[in-house]
Amino acid sequence: MHRLQAHGEFDLSGTAHWHGADACGFGSGRSTHADRLATIRSVYRATGRIVDPHTADGIKVGRESCRPGVPMICLETAQAAKFSDTVVEAIGQAAPLTPQMKEMLARPQRFEKMPPDVVRIRRYIEARAG
């Protein structure tokens, strides 16, 4: 955690944690914006479903690491409608809003401008959380 805080990254390779994760079937991969768009497009063309960019990243990496005869499951991680710009870029249309999203967007919005002060933000939340 110290390395993450100091350098914005960490590396578990060569540690007991790395070997334990690998033994449990955990892995990782990489997906670029272009990969994301291509995956959203391919899923939409193949199934008619619109996936969000985060799910597209998981599908892209999953496709690369999938082994023959072993099922791969990728769980949706967000609502595609929350990422309209990316979805439009990928397939030329926005994902439809769910009824719940439509209702939420119709409600009045309230906000408070606050400085980036953790103590003040915490007090603000505590005062309103009951």
Side-chain angles (χ1 to χ4, degrees):
M1 292 310 292
H2 297 293
R3 177 156 179 84
L4 179 61
Q5 291 173 342
H7 303 285
E9 65 183 17
F10 61 93
D11 183 357
L12 296 176
S13 62
T15 70
H17 299 294
W18 179 261
H19 300 296
D22 187 46
C24 292
F26 283 92
S28 65
R30 180 175 185 268
S31 180
T32 65
H33 184 65
D35 294 330
R36 212 168 283 129
L37 297 176
T39 303
I40 292 169
R41 195 175 300 116
S42 74
V43 169
Y44 181 68
R45 287 180 180 157
T47 68
R49 296 186 58 87
I50 302 172
V51 297
D52 66 274
H54 305 298
T55 300
D57 289 337
I59 292 170
K60 186 262 183 189
V61 172
R63 285 174 171 170
E64 291 175 344
S65 61
C66 192
R67 295 182 305 218
V70 178
M72 177 67 69
I73 298 171
C74 184
L75 303 177
E76 184 177 54
T77 59
Q79 288 286 335
K82 292 171 59 179
F83 303 92
S84 263
D85 291 345
T86 303
V87 171
V88 169
E89 187 178 356
I91 64 171
Q93 68 185 48
L97 295 174
T98 65
Q100 295 86 351
M101 289 176 150
K102 288 179 187 175
E103 192 236 328
M104 178 190 67
L105 291 171
R107 292 181 179 186
Q109 295 184 21
R110 295 179 289 273
F111 64 92
E112 295 277 340
K113 285 189 176 186
M114 299 184 76
D117 179 327
V118 173
V119 173
R120 285 183 64 185
I121 293 170
R122 179 176 289 159
R123 285 185 192 140
Y124 179 87
I125 294 170
E126 288 172 346
R128 285 152 184 79

